[in-house]
Amino acid sequence: MTGDVERHHAQLRAWAKGIYGLEAATELLIRGFDGRFADPGCPWVHPTGSGHWIDFDAIPAQMGALSGGEQRFLQIAASLSGNDTQVNLGGALAGLDRTHLHLVLAGVAHASGTHEQKQLTVRADGTVAFARPGAIYRWDQTEPAETACHPGGIGR
């Protein structure tokens, strides 16, 4: 069974590949709420010849029976996908638990392309180079990254 789920998730990721917002939205459905919103049985997950695709436009109209946290999470995912879903971000974020808030932070960082961005750096010898510092917030991150202002991390 696990192999089928992993294969299904790989197919969804392949379908979304190349559009950061769509990748982020898809990853949120795969990682959030034990992946049940990316299951083939969801009304917004549709079959294709090579796997499945997600109709993010259909999510807002089909989530009425879900909890408030689930609805907020799905609204954020749908909005990251690039469709026209409107989200009151302040209200949606305030209603998420820490686990799902961490996923949303990683999703926003991914949708903005921080994992691919380059920045100009000056080496110790004075030469200039481009570096890829990596995502501001990673999918596997469970706590905020340490910052220069707060070496112990935010809120510590």
Side-chain angles (χ1 to χ4, degrees), residues 50-108:
S50 61
H52 289 85
W53 66 282
I54 301 169
D55 182 1
F56 285 99
D57 291 326
I59 289 177
Q62 297 182 21
M63 62 181 190
L66 301 174
S67 74
E70 291 168 330
Q71 288 183 22
R72 290 177 188 96
F73 186 79
L74 288 171
Q75 287 173 329
I76 292 169
S79 70
L80 285 176
S81 75
N83 74 9
D84 292 331
T85 300
Q86 299 287 315
V87 176
N88 174 334
L89 196 53
L93 293 174
L96 293 177
D97 61 26
R98 289 181 68 86
T99 298
H100 293 96
L101 181 57
H102 284 294
L103 290 175
V104 168
L105 291 172
V108 169

Side-chain angles (χ1 to χ4, degrees), residues 9 12-31 54 56 77 80-82 103 106-116 139:
H9 291 170
L12 288 174
R13 288 178 176 119
W15 163 75
K17 189 159 181 62
I19 303 171
Y20 296 154
L22 192 58
E23 290 174 355
T26 300
E27 200 65 34
L28 285 175
L29 296 192
I30 290 170
R31 290 176 181 259
I54 301 169
F56 285 99
L80 285 176
S81 75
L103 290 175
V108 169
H110 187 90
S112 69
T114 66
H115 60 292
E116 293 287 336
W139 289 107

